[in-house]
């Protein structure tokens, strides 16, 4: 029979994997910015340029789509993990860190 892991383990896993996807997104954006010769500032709009079609030109479109995928998947995973943590905190379920 299929055993489902406890919710606290799922929340930790979703949050951790989401953070790893965000790391991959930032590394992909850094690689794109190196090719373009762009010096990124600390404005949030610079980090979300990957969601706009041909934001870095037609030559870098495959890399832009890759970065956008990492951003979307990372956001979904991190949001799922945080929602699970919020659910556990709201119900008073103890959160164990023994993975």
């Amino acid at each position: 029979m299929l055993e489902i892991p406890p919710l606290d383990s799922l929340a930790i896993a979703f949050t951790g994997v989401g953070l790893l996807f965000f790391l991959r997104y930032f590394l992909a954006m850094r690689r794109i910015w190196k090719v373009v010769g762009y010096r990124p500032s600390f404005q949030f709009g610079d980090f979300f340029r990957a969601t706009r079609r041909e934001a870095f030109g037609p030559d870098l479109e495959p890399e832009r789509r890759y970065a956008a995928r990492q951003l979307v998947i990372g956001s979904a995973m991190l949001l799922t993990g945080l929602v699970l943590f919020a659910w556990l905190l709201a119900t008073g379920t103890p959160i164990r860190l023994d993975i």
Side-chain angles (χ1 to χ4, degrees), residues 10 13 20 49 51 59 61 67 69 86 90 96 98:
L10 286 176
L20 288 175
R49 280 181 63 190
T51 59
D59 294 338
E61 187 62 16
R69 268 194 311 271
R96 299 178 320 273
D98 55 339

Side-chain angles (χ1 to χ4, degrees), residues 2 4-5 9 16 20 36 42 49-50 66 71 76 86 88 93 99:
L2 183 67
I4 299 173
S9 294
L20 288 175
V36 172
F42 290 103
R49 280 181 63 190
Y66 171 78
L71 178 64
L88 290 171
T93 305
I99 297 178

Side-chain angles (χ1 to χ4, degrees), residues 3-64:
E3 185 177 329
I4 299 173
L7 281 181
D8 57 345
S9 294
L10 286 176
I12 292 169
F14 274 108
T15 304
V17 171
L19 290 174
L20 288 175
F21 270 99
F22 272 117
L23 176 64
R24 290 176 63 172
Y25 165 71
F26 287 120
L27 291 175
M29 288 302 293
R30 193 177 106 188
R31 189 171 53 241
I32 290 171
W33 285 331
K34 267 188 181 178
V35 171
V36 172
Y38 175 74
R39 292 194 75 85
S41 62
F42 290 103
Q43 297 175 357
F44 285 113
D46 291 338
F47 289 105
F48 294 111
R49 280 181 63 190
T51 59
R52 284 185 280 148
R53 190 171 281 237
E54 292 192 11
F56 302 103
D59 294 338
L60 291 174
E61 187 62 16
E63 286 85 2
R64 184 210 58 88

